[in-house]
Amino acid sequence: MAEENLLVDLSDDMSSIEISSSTISPTNQQVSPISSEDSDRILAEALQKEEEQEFKNWPPQEGGGEGPPASSQQQQQQAWADPAEEFADIAKYGIIEVSGSDVNGRPVIVVSACKLPPIKQLDHKRFLSYLKQTLDRYVEADYSLIYLHHGLSSSNKPSFSWLVDAYKEFDRKYKKNLKTLYIIHPSMFIKILFNLFKPIISAKFGRKVKYCNYLTDISDTISLQQISIPDVVRKHDEEMMKKVKVKTDEANEQPIAIPSTQQFGVSLEFLEENNPGLTIPRVVKESVEYLKENGLEVEGIFRRSPSTIELKNIQEIYNSGNPAVFHDPHLAASTLKAFLRRLPEPLMTYEVYQYVLNIAHVDEETRVRVVASVLQKLPERNSKILKYIMDFLTIVVQHASSNRMTSSNLAVVFGPNLIWSQDQEASLFAMGHINTFIRIMIDNHEQLFAIDSEC
């Protein structure tokens, strides 16, 4: 029976990703953007070629069936999830997904027990190798982990010996940066087993575990629209919710007035109206100014997080209109990420999401010009703020020998906080292409943005 604790302990050991892409060397010459029509055509043609190639390669060599895949996006997700061909047979199940970031800007990793195939269809040693290779991309940064327990059964439950091997393989580096492990729809057996394992699990890690009976239990910190939740899990959650009688007194419900001093969770238009003369939001300006003086040499800046209480307190100070004082570079870095993530619409708007997602399909020599064209689609206020942030990130990269934050590392951190979909779940496929777009902006800063820097 102890086998059922597999994914709880496996979740104990997961971590955050770093995606690297080929670097395009910047030059001192500002790039001329492609016309909007040409940009749309190039992106459309590139995506069409990829879809045609995917259709030709269907079905896959192992586990294939008749007809094309259920959707192009699913195939693209599988392809990006692990580029190593040797693990394609495992990646295709989608057991592990990277689903954007939480409200504090930390990457979110989702593990779905229901996606585990029957025991006889999965080589569990290779599965362990696949997990490590995938998770190693994320292990250096703070992250949150969601384990969807519903769907684990006797037919797909790995052996206890595999659990032991996995526990040994996933050492401290996979655990130290985990901020919260959300166990969704936990069974009583899972809770009992976790208590039995307490003697070998550190008290510090135990405090990171949060049991959630319903998906809504995490909605305050993680957008349910952005994470990849299998339909069977959503249906199970709906059934569980029907059993709960939620009492609400609608007569006492009053609309909450937003104070004019509010800084987090409000639109850029709101900030502009209530902070006349400020083209750069106060939170962005002050956090960046502090980091330029105190954070450029800090190793792993933007990868470490302060305590949740500290971050909550600084947000409350800003929202009340009082002066905010930073005492720690990691607090300032997390505040900047949290501000961007809490915007009602991402800084790089919903309108350009699909353009950003498709950029990796464009030929290398054309990418920078296409990026320039996409950036022209942003509203003026968004462009000014994005430029300010990119000016700063370029400075951060110049100190990479000390802080170890290359353009690729920064793209991983800022990608999910600068852009996300309005109605699509985040995925490994989407995150990889978003990160590529952000990296191109940083690497080609002088070409894509005006020479005169505000930073």
Side-chain angles (χ1 to χ4, degrees):
M1 293 185 63
E3 299 172 7
E4 187 158 345
N5 196 37
L6 167 65
L7 288 184
V8 174
D9 283 273
L10 181 57
S11 298
D12 178 353
D13 302 314
M14 293 190 171
S15 53
S16 17
I17 292 181
E18 175 178 343
I19 305 164
S20 60
S21 302
S22 57
T23 301
I24 303 175
S25 301
T27 67
N28 293 325
Q29 183 178 2
Q30 190 168 357
V31 68
S32 299
I34 296 176
S35 67
S36 178
E37 292 78 8
D38 287 343
S39 173
D40 294 352
R41 176 182 53 79
I42 291 172
L43 288 168
E45 290 177 353
L47 189 58
Q48 181 180 1
K49 288 180 181 178
E50 179 168 291
E51 290 176 345
E52 290 174 352
Q53 186 61 38
E54 288 170 351
F55 189 91
K56 291 178 181 178
N57 293 337
W58 186 265
Q61 292 182 354
E62 294 185 34
E66 295 182 359
S71 73
S72 173
Q73 184 182 17
Q74 290 175 351
Q75 280 291 294
Q76 291 164 337
Q77 288 174 351
Q78 295 164 6
W80 195 89
D82 193 331
E85 294 182 1
E86 59 192 304
F87 291 120
D89 58 319
I90 298 176
K92 67 182 181 182
Y93 293 112
I95 301 167
I96 179 171
E97 289 281 3
V98 179
S99 295
S101 60
D102 60 21
V103 294
N104 295 320
R106 295 187 288 252
V108 176
I109 299 175
V110 179
V111 179
S112 302
C114 66
K115 291 188 177 183
L116 280 168
I119 297 174
K120 295 182 179 179
Q121 294 182 18
L122 186 66
D123 183 331
H124 288 83
K125 288 185 178 180
R126 282 171 46 75
F127 177 43
L128 181 57
S129 297
Y130 163 70
L131 284 175
K132 291 189 66 178
Q133 181 170 326
T134 302
L135 297 174
D136 278 345
R137 305 172 191 169
Y138 289 79
V139 75
E140 297 299 330
D142 293 334
Y143 68 100
S144 298
L145 177 66
I146 299 174
Y147 166 54
L148 304 174
H149 177 64
H150 179 71
L152 188 68
S153 65
S154 58
S155 63
N156 67 353
K157 184 171 50 182
S159 66
F160 181 75
S161 61
W162 187 90
L163 168 62
V164 175
D165 290 341
Y167 191 85
K168 293 178 180 178
E169 288 289 333
F170 290 99
D171 55 24
R172 182 176 177 273
K173 77 172 184 176
Y174 295 92
K175 306 172 187 176
K176 64 179 181 179
N177 293 330
L178 175 65
K179 289 302 177 181
T180 308
L181 166 59
Y182 300 94
I183 301 179
I184 312 297
H185 304 139
S187 63
M188 182 57 67
F189 187 66
I190 285 290
K191 296 179 181 179
I192 293 174
L193 276 183
F194 188 81
N195 287 330
L196 292 176
F197 272 77
K198 275 189 176 179
I200 61 174
I201 296 176
S202 70
K204 183 177 180 180
F205 178 79
R207 290 192 292 269
K208 298 179 179 181
V209 178
K210 182 177 180 180
Y211 294 111
C212 302
N213 293 324
Y214 314 101
L215 290 171
T216 53
D217 291 345
I218 63 173
S219 60
D220 288 342
T221 54
I222 300 172
S223 172
L224 295 179
Q225 290 183 329
Q226 297 299 312
I227 62 177
S228 178
I229 303 176
D231 290 341
V232 64
V233 174
R234 290 187 183 274
K235 291 179 180 179
H236 175 72
D237 189 73
E238 291 173 0
E239 293 174 358
M240 295 286 288
M241 290 293 291
K242 289 178 181 178
K243 299 177 183 179
V244 180
K245 295 182 179 180
V246 181
K247 297 181 179 180
T248 59
D249 189 357
E250 296 182 359
N252 294 328
E253 288 185 0
Q254 298 292 333
I256 301 175
I258 301 176
S260 61
T261 56
Q262 186 85 10
Q263 299 293 311
F264 286 84
V266 293
S267 68
L268 296 178
E269 291 85 351
F270 178 92
L271 292 173
E272 194 173 78
E273 292 172 1
N274 290 278
N275 300 271
L278 288 182
T279 57
I280 305 299
R282 180 185 164 203
V283 176
V284 176
K285 185 81 171 180
E286 293 180 2
S287 59
V288 166
E289 289 300 319
Y290 177 87
L291 288 169
K292 284 197 296 181
E293 295 295 327
N294 302 278
L296 295 179
E297 302 293 328
V298 176
E299 183 175 337
I301 191 65
F302 292 113
R303 283 184 161 178
R304 300 289 181 266
S305 299
S307 70
T308 302
I309 294 177
E310 286 181 303
L311 192 55
K312 182 179 180 180
N313 287 342
I314 198 73
Q315 291 177 19
E316 290 178 350
I317 291 172
Y318 268 115
N319 288 336
S320 65
N322 294 320
V325 178
F326 293 111
H327 58 82
D328 173 27
H330 295 302
L331 177 60
S334 293
T335 300
L336 175 59
K337 292 190 296 181
F339 172 83
L340 294 171
R341 186 61 195 182
R342 288 176 181 266
L343 288 172
E345 182 175 10
L347 184 61
M348 297 181 66
T349 60
Y350 294 134
E351 179 187 354
V352 304
Y353 179 79
Q354 199 60 47
Y355 294 101
V356 171
L357 214 61
N358 293 342
I359 192 62
H361 305 305
V362 177
D363 293 338
E364 288 279 348
E365 61 271 17
T366 315
R367 283 185 178 182
V368 180
R369 295 181 65 199
V370 171
V371 168
S373 177
V374 173
L375 293 179
Q376 287 190 336
K377 299 178 184 293
L378 295 175
E380 183 178 359
R381 68 167 65 88
N382 297 58
S383 295
K384 289 181 178 179
I385 300 171
L386 179 63
K387 175 191 177 303
Y388 183 82
I389 293 173
M390 288 298 130
D391 288 345
F392 170 60
L393 295 185
T394 302
I395 297 174
V396 174
V397 171
Q398 292 170 359
H399 294 262
S401 59
S402 299
N403 60 42
R404 298 192 179 183
M405 294 304 290
T406 63
S407 60
S408 294
N409 294 341
L410 288 172
V412 170
V413 171
F414 276 88
N417 297 307
L418 288 173
I419 187 166
W420 57 87
S421 172
Q422 185 174 16
D423 53 11
Q424 297 178 26
E425 295 175 349
S427 65
L428 282 168
F429 157 74
M431 290 308 305
H433 291 221
I434 288 171
N435 295 343
T436 295
F437 193 99
I438 304 302
R439 178 188 55 77
I440 291 173
M441 285 199 297
I442 299 174
D443 286 343
N444 299 276
H445 171 267
E446 292 186 1
Q447 295 172 269
L448 293 169
F449 297 92
I451 299 301
D452 55 324
S453 172
E454 294 184 45
C455 211

